[in-house]
Amino acid sequence: MLSVVIPIYNSESFLAACIESVLQQTYKDLEIILVDDGSEDNSGKICDEYAERDQRITVIHQTNHGRSEARACGVLKATGEWVAFVDSDDCLPQDALQSLYAVADDDTDIVLGNGYSLGFRPCPKTMQMDEFRHLAVRGEGTIGVPWGSLYRRQLLTVRTSMQQTKSLPWVFDVPRHIINGEDYLFWLRLVFLTEKPVHIVEKNVYSKGDEHTSSTFKWTADYCYELNELRFQSIPAEQHRKYLSDTVADRLANMLSVAMWSRRKEWLHSKYYEELLRDMQLVGRELNSKEKLFLSLPSLQLRRLYSTISRKIRK
């Protein structure tokens, strides 16, 4: 059996479409766990109505704890061998779960969907964990979001000595205020809990709705510094050097986002930027001419204009 966990918060306008897309899956041996995370609209009522219609649905109502903890709550309630996550403003193509489950076996703990996003041509059907970890640390493609994949439930319930709290499994134990990057930390922790190779499904198995968080999130150097501390706590200490070049790639992307949202004086001498430049030197990575120009621009308005023009040129 496969468990589908849907964290829900104030989703009344699109929740029915999301649930219907799961109910209409060609793969039928499902349990569907709806976690109403303190919704203040009619989401909880919609959940209860669907539970009355289909015995595969279980509803959990709780006070608001955030998306990561809502997912954790669903996982702890789940009984399926495999778990999939769906956000409440998204939908699944009708054969999505069937496509993922078809390649799930005893030789893997993770089935990655939307494999075309990795950029490999042709896309491998299986990838050894050592290679996959480098991609995960860089946040390549759809590695870095929990949706669109299958996970062995046993992997999601592991607790470790690194945790802030023992009430949550390790992969979900992220500070509540980390609302952008928490999914990346989920993957980082996940890939260091197993040595089994990852099976990859190249086809599209997820229909993403409108983005509500990352497109409007205001990055700061302090936020990125804390995120980076959590990043290195998630990678075993003895392997930090091995993945340093990969962390640099993702940290630089975060830094460019900081420069889009923060005044130059707020990040130029920040600990985050200084440590990034130091680690770039260690791995032999230099800012390219476009990155140098972008970061040297004196105002937010100029950096945003430069970014807009660059995107238009790339198109």
Side-chain angles (χ1 to χ4, degrees):
M1 185 171 64
L2 193 159
S3 301
V4 180
V5 175
I6 306 178
I8 298 160
Y9 179 72
N10 292 350
S11 306
E12 64 179 3
S13 60
F14 28 74
L15 180 56
C18 173
I19 297 172
E20 288 288 350
S21 77
V22 180
L23 291 174
Q24 294 169 14
Q25 289 295 296
T26 55
Y27 183 85
K28 299 299 184 183
D29 189 16
L30 302 174
E31 67 171 1
I32 304 165
I33 302 173
L34 308 178
V35 185
D36 172 26
D37 190 37
S39 296
E40 298 170 341
D41 61 3
N42 289 318
S43 295
K45 180 181 178 182
I46 294 171
C47 290
D48 291 337
E49 290 172 350
Y50 269 98
E52 290 179 1
R53 290 167 46 186
D54 196 305
Q55 63 181 5
R56 295 176 297 173
I57 295 177
T58 298
V59 180
I60 299 171
H61 297 286
Q62 62 181 33
T63 57
N64 182 257
H65 293 294
R67 190 165 52 184
S68 286
E69 192 163 336
R71 288 185 184 128
C73 183
V75 167
L76 293 174
K77 184 73 172 179
T79 60
E81 182 181 7
W82 294 89
V83 175
F85 298 105
V86 182
D87 286 350
S88 58
D89 52 348
D90 302 335
C91 293
L92 296 180
Q94 196 169 14
D95 64 345
L97 297 179
Q98 183 67 56
S99 299
L100 293 167
Y101 191 74
V103 298
D105 58 31
D106 292 340
D107 294 329
T108 190
D109 290 326
I110 300 170
V111 178
L112 177 76
N114 303 309
Y116 61 87
S117 69
L118 297 179
F120 291 96
R121 294 296 179 270
C123 184
K125 293 183 178 181
T126 299
M127 186 177 294
Q128 295 302 311
M129 181 52 74
D130 188 65
E131 180 181 2
F132 188 82
R133 281 181 184 141
H134 287 283
L135 300 180
V137 177
R138 293 200 300 270
E140 294 285 348
T142 48
I143 309 174
V145 292
W147 42 260
S149 296
L150 281 188
Y151 313 94
R152 193 177 300 279
R153 179 170 56 88
Q154 184 179 0
L155 200 67
L156 300 178
T157 59
V158 171
R159 289 177 170 85
T160 78
S161 60
M162 293 294 295
Q163 295 192 250
Q164 302 175 64
T165 170
K166 290 295 184 182
S167 64
L168 293 176
W170 168 232
V171 295
F172 301 106
D173 195 5
V174 177
R176 171 77 182 273
H177 61 275
I178 300 296
I179 60 171
N180 209 341
E182 82 277 19
D183 292 343
Y184 171 76
L185 295 172
F186 164 88
W187 268 100
L188 268 192
R189 294 171 179 184
L190 191 75
V191 297
F192 287 101
L193 291 177
T194 179
E195 296 296 331
K196 293 182 179 180
V198 176
H199 291 339
I200 300 172
V201 175
E202 188 172 5
K203 69 186 292 185
N204 178 30
V205 295
Y206 200 86
S207 298
K208 193 79 184 80
D210 294 334
E211 185 54 65
H212 301 290
T213 303
S214 61
S215 60
T216 58
F217 184 77
K218 295 183 179 181
W219 292 89
T220 68
D222 286 344
Y223 185 91
C224 285
Y225 182 80
E226 182 177 5
L227 184 62
N228 191 48
E229 290 290 290
L230 291 166
R231 183 200 322 268
F232 279 112
Q233 290 172 17
S234 301
I235 301 172
E238 65 275 12
Q239 299 194 55
H240 283 183
R241 187 64 181 87
K242 179 178 180 179
Y243 295 98
L244 187 59
S245 180
D246 300 309
T247 70
V248 161
D250 191 67
R251 289 155 63 192
L252 179 56
N254 291 158
M255 184 62 236
L256 297 176
S257 295
V258 170
M260 281 283 291
W261 288 103
S262 302
R263 291 177 296 177
R264 199 163 184 265
K265 68 178 183 180
E266 294 172 351
W267 53 261
L268 185 60
H269 299 294
S270 67
K271 195 169 183 180
Y272 179 75
Y273 188 42
E274 290 178 348
E275 288 189 0
L276 172 60
L277 293 177
R278 179 202 66 196
D279 288 347
M280 288 178 69
Q281 277 192 318
L282 286 175
V283 300
R285 167 72 157 90
E286 296 182 355
L287 293 170
N288 63 39
S289 57
K290 291 182 180 180
E291 292 162 347
K292 285 181 180 178
L293 175 59
F294 175 74
L295 292 172
S296 68
L297 293 173
S299 71
L300 275 172
Q301 290 76 14
L302 286 174
R303 290 195 293 277
R304 290 174 181 173
L305 178 61
Y306 179 88
S307 179
T308 300
I309 293 172
S310 297
R311 284 198 300 271
K312 288 182 178 179
I313 292 174
R314 287 196 297 270
K315 291 179 180 178

